[in-house]
Amino acid sequence: MPQVLLSDQGHDLDYHHMRLYFMDAAVWASENCSSFISFDIVDVADLSPIVDQIAEYNFTEERDATLFSLRWSR
């Protein structure tokens, strides 16, 4: 299953606004990628000195994962 990971690294947003950003990306995926199936946000602040959150987006088709990456990856 194709998967795209986004992190909060490089964004100048606080914890709450970063979660909203990740949710906006999920809404965009549901409206623009027919094979989008799910997303989850994982708090990794206790494990990483650099990243606080990672969002995982799952697709059934590679083309949609690529389209999503082109739009949302930095």
Side-chain angles (χ1 to χ4, degrees):
M1 167 178 9
Q3 180 182 81
V4 178
L5 301 176
L6 300 180
S7 76
D8 59 3
Q9 186 175 7
H11 293 274
D12 190 27
L13 297 172
D14 64 26
Y15 188 89
H16 173 73
H17 287 97
M18 196 67 227
R19 291 183 80 81
L20 294 174
Y21 175 81
F22 289 147
M23 291 172 59
D24 286 346
V27 169
W28 186 92
S30 69
E31 293 172 349
N32 294 282
C33 303
S34 61
S35 74
F36 174 69
I37 53 175
S38 67
F39 95 106
D40 189 27
I41 302 171
V42 179
D43 185 331
V44 295
D46 292 341
L47 305 172
S48 172
I50 299 170
V51 176
D52 291 328
Q53 302 175 81
I54 295 175
E56 172 187 284
Y57 301 84
N58 299 298
F59 302 85
T60 58
E61 297 181 24
E62 189 66 41
R63 65 180 170 79
D64 282 339
T66 300
L67 176 65
F68 180 83
S69 291
L70 290 172
R71 168 62 178 86
W72 292 93
S73 295
R74 286 186 163 215

